[in-house]
Amino acid sequence: MKANESAGAQSNLFERGRLLNNLKNNSQWDLIVIGGGATGLGVALDAVSRNYRVLLLEQDDFGKGTSSKSTKLVHGGVRYLAQGDIDLVREALYERGLLLKNAPHLVHNRTFIIPNYDVLGGPFYWVGLKIYDLLSGKWSLGPSKYISRDEVIQYIPMIEKSGLRNGISYHDGQFDDSRMAVNLAQTIIEKGGLALNHFGVTGLLKDDKGKVCGVKAEDKETSVGYEFKARAVVNATGVLVNRIIEMDDENKPPLVRPSQGTHIVLDRSFLNSEEALMIPKTSDGRVLFAVPWHNRVLVGTTDIPVGEASLDPKPLDEEVDYILETAGRYLSRPPQREDVLSVFAGLRPLAAQNSSDGAKTKEISRSHKIIVDQSGLVTITGGKWTTFRRMGQDTVDKVITVAGLPARPSTSMDIMVHGAPEKVDARDPDVYGTDRAAIDSLIREDPSLAQKLHPTLDFTLAEVVFAVRNEMARTIEDVLARRVRVLFLDAAAAIACAPKVAEILANELGKDEEWKKTETARFQKFAGTYLLPKMKMPVND
């Protein structure tokens, strides 16, 4: 399984050595984007759509933080209607339509069922969803419908039947978040930009007038330091925006108020359906989803304020108990802690400058804000995955004004995301899209690569090889968390197959036995945080 040229010229496009050479050959950039999550990728995508020279730097991996830990929905936000945020919903529904058009291998139409156990509940939700349909306009995925009790049971066989009156079905989008992040990074490179993971910004460069004119950075793999000049720098680091702001001015107050959202993953038998379940009103007024995803069921989310931002926040017992208890009231087979295959938490970078106002996190606006400091540093905060492209467009519009870049119109709404095929199975798209042919080619050349990574999952060894050669994966975590989603689907399985992945990585990257041992141990310890404490970790031979 040593590296070769079988994947063709395309593999060379994303090879790290080639990317680093391109980095050294460019002394001046129009725009440097700090952060490789949804926000930063959106900014870089829009900037390359205008033919600016763009460099994106991500300190860990694309989508490492919040952007790989979403509820996997591309949606307008039904609950934002209740808050009266019509403009946000309309904008998100338009962006949802663009994503289905531009990334059909990653985004697809999903039917959601709202069960009704209340006499007044049905009409209330029916009116709201009809407004949702109206706001969708030509981008509608299908009309919402009033459905009978029997139809609800037909859609969701495992629904709690006692007291069930009827229900409503509506349509929204679903996607694979970290696969989207990886494909967007590839798209940016294909369009002439440069996106590097495991490359952290360590400081800001300023000219003699105190204006930001570039960044200091470090290649995390080699510890080699760099300085890059740019006409503009955008801080798009999600919940970590405050760290970059402090590099500019250590006296600046925090600009984001992190809110934690936790999800659990269960076996598909708990829902036994291809439709998703939406619980519109929980004990504390939140919305809970149970969504089919990669032959499992994803259940969440929570929404609680936290004091400190982190790339790897830990789920709280109270969050897990809340999800299990709430889901258990609506499922005929209530899930228990021992049923949880994986549990993970992400932090939302809510745009709230005053964290002492006492507002609940679910009431803080999910719209984005763009802030320009006196130094010229541009910071984008807030937002959500669905509107990442529009966030990028708005940010680049601001950068043009701040940095005096030549004004060029955005064309990012027309860019097809890497891997997008001409035709796709709308119900169950292959997340690799046009890249599937390259993976099949690897298997034809070496049939042993058809072996499954783990008996209970469909991912193959060929996908690991492809992740290293074509998708810029550098670590076991890059592969098992964000290229193939094993860690999120079954943490114990991820721990068990880590040695196989380490072996492939070592062969592909030229690493030694000591690296394999260290990297495997590091990942297995990390993956243990995706297991509930009462779950036993497997023992490796």
Side-chain angles (χ1 to χ4, degrees):
M1 290 182 281
K2 292 184 179 180
N4 56 46
E5 300 300 320
S6 64
Q10 187 183 35
S11 66
N12 293 331
L13 188 63
F14 308 118
E15 195 271 324
R16 193 171 182 87
R18 179 187 181 279
L19 295 175
L20 291 176
N21 285 334
N22 288 346
L23 189 66
K24 296 170 184 175
N25 294 333
N26 287 276
S27 58
Q28 178 75 30
W29 302 89
D30 290 322
L31 176 62
I32 293 176
V33 181
I34 309 172
T39 307
L41 292 164
V43 174
L45 181 73
D46 192 80
V48 296
S49 85
R50 309 187 201 212
N51 293 316
Y52 296 131
R53 291 167 296 176
V54 181
L55 171 63
L56 180 146
L57 299 175
E58 162 56 45
Q59 67 170 341
D60 198 286
D61 186 30
F62 306 116
K64 157 69 176 180
T66 305
S67 297
S68 61
K69 298 167 182 173
S70 72
T71 314
K72 323 305 176 194
L73 302 182
V74 178
H75 62 138
V78 174
R79 70 187 178 94
Y80 303 144
L81 286 175
Q83 299 173 10
D85 207 338
I86 300 296
D87 288 341
L88 175 62
V89 175
R90 182 185 289 109
E91 176 182 273
L93 288 171
Y94 171 75
E95 294 297 326
R96 181 190 71 178
L98 289 181
L99 274 168
L100 265 88
K101 175 177 73 75
N102 295 335
H105 58 309
L106 296 174
V107 184
H108 61 282
N109 187 345
R110 178 74 73 183
T111 301
F112 289 74
I113 306 299
I114 302 177
N116 179 36
Y117 297 83
D118 190 315
V119 174
L120 299 178
F124 176 78
Y125 301 127
W126 171 249
V127 171
L129 285 166
K130 280 304 172 186
I131 296 174
Y132 199 62
D133 291 346
L134 183 64
L135 292 173
S136 299
K138 71 174 184 178
W139 299 105
S140 173
L141 302 184
S144 55
K145 298 178 181 178
Y146 229 120
I147 57 178
S148 68
R149 180 181 187 274
D150 288 345
E151 287 175 307
V152 173
I153 296 171
Q154 182 179 353
Y155 277 122
I156 311 285
M158 299 301 289
I159 193 73
E160 174 55 50
K161 300 169 182 63
S162 177
L164 179 65
R165 293 175 175 272
N166 46 47
I168 299 172
S169 70
Y170 74 97
H171 295 262
D172 238 327
Q174 184 180 10
F175 80 136
D176 189 308
D177 48 14
S178 71
R179 293 292 318 168
M180 178 70 78
V182 171
N183 283 173
L184 286 171
Q186 292 170 303
T187 306
I188 290 162
I189 294 169
E190 289 171 334
K191 295 296 180 181
L194 187 54
L196 282 165
N197 55 352
H198 301 286
F199 215 105
V201 169
T202 58
L204 301 176
L205 299 176
K206 293 187 177 183
D207 61 20
D208 54 7
K209 295 181 181 179
K211 298 294 184 181
V212 172
C213 61
V215 302
K216 298 176 183 178
E218 180 184 76
D219 184 339
K220 297 292 186 179
E221 292 192 356
T222 62
S223 298
V224 173
Y226 294 80
E227 289 190 357
F228 305 120
K229 295 292 186 67
R231 297 177 66 177
V233 175
V234 172
N235 174 14
T237 52
V239 293
L240 302 180
V241 293
N242 297 330
R243 297 184 186 180
I244 304 300
I245 289 171
E246 288 172 2
M247 292 179 185
D248 180 39
D249 182 352
E250 61 183 15
N251 296 317
K252 279 278 186 179
L255 289 178
V256 299
R257 181 179 183 181
S259 165
Q260 179 160 302
T262 289
H263 297 81
I264 64 171
V265 176
L266 304 169
D267 186 81
R268 74 179 308 274
S269 61
F270 280 89
L271 202 60
N272 193 26
S273 173
E274 289 303 314
E275 325 306 336
L277 174 66
M278 197 269 259
I279 300 168
K281 189 175 182 180
T282 62
S283 59
D284 62 354
R286 293 186 285 222
V287 172
L288 197 77
F289 291 96
V291 186
W293 186 61
H294 286 298
N295 207 34
R296 299 287 189 272
V297 177
L298 179 71
V299 188
T301 181
T302 59
D303 198 349
I304 62 172
V306 293
E308 185 177 352
S310 167
L311 283 176
D312 294 305
K314 302 299 184 289
L316 303 176
D317 281 342
E318 64 191 72
E319 293 180 281
V320 174
D321 292 341
Y322 159 78
I323 295 173
L324 289 171
E325 191 274 332
T326 303
R329 294 205 310 269
Y330 290 85
L331 297 175
S332 59
R333 177 186 166 201
Q336 307 300 316
R337 292 179 71 88
E338 56 267 27
D339 297 315
V340 176
L341 299 173
S342 184
V343 57
F344 59 91
L347 299 182
R348 306 176 187 90
L350 302 187
Q353 296 193 42
N354 183 2
S355 61
S356 61
D357 58 10
K360 294 181 179 179
T361 53
K362 65 185 178 66
E363 297 170 348
I364 297 175
S365 175
R366 260 53 170 179
S367 60
H368 58 277
K369 294 182 181 179
I370 301 169
I371 299 120
V372 181
D373 285 302
Q374 290 184 344
S375 66
L377 176 68
V378 177
T379 297
I380 168 85
T381 69
K384 58 179 184 173
W385 247 120
T386 305
T387 57
F388 85 97
R389 189 211 63 83
R390 181 53 189 265
M391 292 164 64
Q393 178 180 323
D394 291 349
T395 303
V396 176
D397 284 344
K398 178 64 70 175
V399 167
I400 290 171
T401 302
V402 172
L405 294 178
R408 298 168 186 164
S410 169
T411 62
S412 57
M413 69 284 294
D414 297 319
I415 292 179
M416 300 299 288
V417 174
H418 176 92
E422 291 185 7
K423 294 183 179 181
V424 67
D425 183 342
R427 190 64 189 180
D428 186 23
D430 180 356
V431 295
Y432 287 101
T434 57
D435 280 342
R436 174 57 66 180
I439 295 172
D440 291 343
S441 178
L442 287 172
I443 293 173
R444 285 194 298 271
E445 293 175 9
D446 183 354
S448 70
L449 294 179
Q451 178 187 337
K452 285 187 176 183
L453 262 175
H454 192 272
T456 66
L457 296 162
D458 292 332
F459 305 112
T460 64
L461 299 184
E463 290 171 77
V464 179
V465 174
F466 186 79
V468 182
R469 295 181 188 175
N470 291 68
E471 296 182 335
M472 298 171 278
R474 311 297 293 179
T475 68
I476 298 177
E477 184 189 335
D478 290 354
V479 173
L480 292 180
R482 290 173 293 278
R483 304 308 186 279
V484 297
R485 306 307 303 273
V486 179
L487 179 60
F488 287 81
L489 298 169
D490 190 331
I495 291 169
C497 61
K500 290 182 184 178
V501 176
E503 184 71 30
I504 293 174
L505 281 165
N507 287 341
E508 292 291 321
L509 301 177
K511 304 294 185 179
D512 59 19
E513 287 295 323
E514 185 60 31
W515 181 90
K516 284 193 291 187
K517 288 177 57 179
T518 302
E519 175 65 7
T520 300
R522 185 200 66 79
F523 173 79
Q524 290 182 328
K525 180 179 179 180
F526 169 73
T529 65
Y530 283 64
L531 292 164
L532 289 181
K534 292 183 179 180
M535 297 169 65
K536 294 181 180 180
M537 293 177 63
V539 177
N540 292 319
D541 294 331

